[in-house]
Amino acid sequence: MIYIFHGDDQLKSRSAINSFLDQKIGYDILRLDSKDINLDQINGFINSQSLFASQKIIVFFNFFSISKPILDKVLKIIKSNDSFDIILWQDKTLNATQLKTFSKAKVELFPLDKKLFKCINSLAPKNAARFIPLYHQVLEQEPFELFLFWLKSSLRKQLTTFSKFNTDSLKTAYLQMIELDYQSKTGQLAIPKDMALERILLNLMK
């Protein structure tokens, strides 16, 4: 059986796949990241005899991020061996073509709340009155780290494409967010992280 966990809400999809695997007590599990695919390792795992004849599971993280030449070979291995389970986790929402690769798979989608993107899209000069209420609503529903991840992603994209903000102001805000993230993770923030981020964003929207 093939199981697919995908969607932009990485925290929930990660939690779901971890919970799924926690239930597979006694299984032989091989975990592989897209950046570290070894065909010999996969074949060796499939063909080796388990010490206690345990059922086998191969877990691929970011399966559809594997380079196409390697991906084609992995697909060939998977489709020629149906005696074990395959678990695929992707850090974003897969498209219809990708999902069609495994048409019989059991699929779980973890989309982000539209309010999060509405909030990020409302980040614009002189728009604090509209942005801040949305910001508070999102943080009541979603983890701060998830919001910060997508916010930094948005600003990083704006730095290389079009932005309503002045480039220098945008770059300053982006670097301040990186520093905020570091200080938050190392316990160096003097004020709550949501308040610190709000100050950065208010200054950007002036």
Side-chain angles (χ1 to χ4, degrees):
M1 185 66 187
I2 297 176
Y3 301 84
I4 298 176
F5 297 80
H6 72 121
D8 295 320
D9 195 332
Q10 297 174 20
L11 290 179
K12 288 181 181 176
S13 64
R14 280 278 192 182
S15 177
I17 192 173
N18 288 336
S19 177
F20 179 87
L21 291 173
D22 285 345
Q23 297 174 41
K24 301 298 180 179
I25 299 170
Y27 279 67
D28 232 352
I29 302 177
L30 175 64
R31 293 173 169 85
L32 298 167
D33 187 87
S34 62
K35 299 174 184 176
D36 205 20
I37 297 296
N38 185 315
L39 297 177
D40 290 334
Q41 182 183 17
I42 297 172
N43 280 314
F45 178 78
I46 292 170
N47 298 315
S48 64
Q49 184 63 44
S50 203
L51 184 60
F52 300 105
S54 304
Q55 289 181 273
K56 295 180 179 181
I57 295 175
I58 300 182
V59 185
F60 291 96
F61 292 96
N62 286 320
F63 181 82
F64 288 96
S65 299
I66 301 172
S67 64
K68 192 175 186 312
I70 301 298
L71 182 63
D72 289 341
K73 292 177 181 178
V74 173
L75 283 170
K76 188 175 180 180
I77 294 173
I78 291 174
K79 292 183 177 181
S80 62
N81 294 273
D82 58 1
S83 59
F84 55 90
D85 288 342
I86 298 291
I87 316 297
L88 309 179
W89 179 86
Q90 194 71 34
D91 61 359
K92 58 185 178 182
T93 301
L94 297 174
N95 60 43
T97 302
Q98 290 169 324
L99 290 172
K100 198 174 180 180
T101 306
F102 301 104
S103 57
K104 295 181 180 179
K106 182 176 180 181
V107 180
E108 289 195 48
L109 172 63
F110 299 86
L112 282 172
D113 191 313
K114 291 180 181 178
K115 192 174 288 182
L116 186 149
F117 290 113
K118 182 179 179 182
C119 176
I120 291 175
N121 290 335
S122 71
L123 185 65
K126 312 295 182 183
N127 202 38
R130 182 163 178 257
F131 174 84
I132 294 302
L134 284 170
Y135 173 73
H136 291 160
Q137 289 173 31
V138 169
L139 291 190
E140 285 178 4
Q141 299 176 4
E142 305 290 348
F144 176 85
E145 289 72 20
L146 181 68
F147 178 77
L148 183 60
F149 170 83
W150 285 103
L151 181 63
K152 286 194 298 182
S153 178
S154 174
L155 264 61
R156 188 165 56 246
K157 184 177 179 181
Q158 289 182 54
L159 282 167
T160 58
T161 56
F162 168 78
S163 178
K164 298 173 183 176
F165 294 103
N166 170 275
T167 302
D168 289 337
S169 299
L170 191 65
K171 189 180 294 183
T172 297
Y174 180 69
L175 292 174
Q176 287 175 336
M177 287 179 203
I178 293 175
E179 180 63 19
L180 183 158
D181 195 22
Y182 172 77
Q183 290 185 357
S184 176
K185 290 174 179 175
T186 55
Q188 298 180 47
L189 272 180
I191 61 175
K193 54 192 176 185
D194 57 328
M195 187 181 295
L197 179 58
E198 185 173 330
R199 289 182 180 179
I200 294 171
L201 297 175
L202 282 171
N203 192 52
L204 176 64
M205 290 184 288
K206 282 182 180 178

